[in-house]
């Protein structure tokens, strides 16, 4: 349902711990996807206002078109659990567009399939390549533990609905997320090397 959109009001000096952990999970569950960046000290492309990347709450995830569609669908499906504020689908990987992409924003979300999305008919969010831009709410971005809790809740719900299944592969209806909780190897924020949590 509709939540306030934060935008760039809370600039930071680096990536926030929850944003880093969220990226770790997305990359773990989507082999081949790439971290295209979290924190950046810059303005929005083609504009004067500060990019939400400068808040440390935005992340760019690169993938090929089919995988990108799966990632966007999974994040959108669980947008309330993850406290997602914005998603950009620059190339229409998940929502067919006419070349200018589509964007989700939490303050437009009234519930239901495709709620909160806008299909653009002009260059509004920037015509991009095969990646998605995702923004988390401050409470989620500030806490790696809160991200862990969100994924734990998600896995618990998926396990309950798939109790009879021993197959750890992604369920087609889970948005590309596995039905059994794994032990993800998230990356050490300093070294970038995988570590057990």
């Amino acid at each position: 349902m509709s939540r306030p959109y934060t935008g760039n009001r809370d600039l930071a000096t680096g990536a926030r711990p929850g944003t880093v952990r969220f990226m770790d999970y997305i990359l773990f569950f989507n082999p081949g996807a790439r971290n295209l960046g979290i924190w950046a000290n810059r303005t929005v492309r083609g504009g004067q206002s500060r990019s939400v990347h400068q808040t440390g709450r935005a992340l760019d995830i690169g993938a090929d078109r089919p995988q990108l569609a799966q990632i966007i669908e999974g994040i959108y499906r669980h947008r309330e659990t993850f406290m997602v504020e914005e998603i950009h689908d620059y190339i229409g990987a998940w929502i067919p567009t006419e070349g200018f992409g589509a964007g989700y924003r939490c303050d437009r979300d009234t519930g239901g399939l495709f709620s909160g999305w806008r299909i653009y008919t002009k260059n509004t969010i920037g015509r991009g390549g095969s990646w998605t831009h995702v923004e988390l709410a401050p409470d989620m971005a500030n806490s790696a533990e809160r991200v862990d809790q969100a994924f734990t809740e998600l896995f618990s719900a998926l396990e309950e609905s798939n109790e009879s299944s021993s197959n750890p592969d992604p369920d087609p209806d889970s948005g590309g997320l596995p039905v059994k909780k794994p032990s993800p190897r998230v990356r050490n924020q300093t070294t970038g090397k995988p570590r057990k949590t």
Side-chain angles (χ1 to χ4, degrees):
M1 299 303 284
S2 180
R3 290 178 280 112
Y5 175 67
T6 307
N8 63 1
R9 295 192 302 264
D10 55 341
L11 300 179
T13 57
R16 301 191 193 203
T19 314
V20 173
R21 185 65 60 89
F22 186 81
M23 178 71 87
D24 288 336
Y25 275 105
I26 295 300
L27 298 183
F28 179 82
F29 294 125
N30 296 278
R34 302 170 312 284
N35 176 352
L36 299 182
I38 297 178
W39 187 85
N41 179 5
R42 64 173 175 82
T43 59
V44 296
R45 298 189 193 287
Q48 298 299 316
S49 62
R50 303 310 299 176
S51 169
V52 177
H53 280 285
Q54 197 172 343
T55 70
R57 295 184 293 99
L59 56 154
D60 288 342
I61 306 158
D64 63 26
R65 193 181 189 100
Q67 186 176 48
L68 188 63
Q70 177 177 289
I71 290 169
I72 292 170
E73 195 277 335
I75 292 172
Y76 176 69
R77 177 185 293 255
H78 304 293
R79 63 195 181 275
E80 291 300 317
T81 301
F82 297 142
M83 297 179 66
V84 172
E85 291 198 351
E86 188 152 285
I87 305 169
H88 293 172
D89 182 359
Y90 295 106
I91 59 170
W94 190 58
I95 294 183
T97 68
E98 296 179 5
F100 294 101
Y104 163 81
R105 214 159 94 175
C106 61
D107 58 358
R108 296 192 296 251
D109 193 339
T110 58
L113 186 63
F114 301 120
S115 182
W117 283 92
R118 181 172 292 161
I119 296 173
Y120 296 108
T121 57
K122 61 181 182 179
N123 191 6
T124 304
I125 58 174
R127 301 179 81 167
S130 191
W131 80 85
T132 185
H133 168 95
V134 178
E135 298 172 18
L136 303 178
D139 285 349
M140 186 65 70
N142 287 338
S143 173
E145 292 77 17
R146 185 103 183 241
V147 173
D148 288 339
Q149 180 183 1
F151 275 93
T152 298
E153 289 172 7
L154 176 60
F155 294 132
S156 295
L158 291 171
E159 284 180 344
E160 287 175 17
S161 67
N162 293 287
E163 282 180 333
S164 61
S165 173
S166 61
N167 182 4
D169 292 333
D171 181 320
D173 293 327
S174 70
L177 297 174
V179 297
K180 297 294 182 185
K181 183 179 178 185
S183 298
R185 295 177 67 88
V186 299
R187 298 188 180 283
N188 181 295
Q189 293 178 34
T190 304
T191 66
K193 293 180 181 178
R195 63 174 170 80
K196 285 290 240 185
T197 56

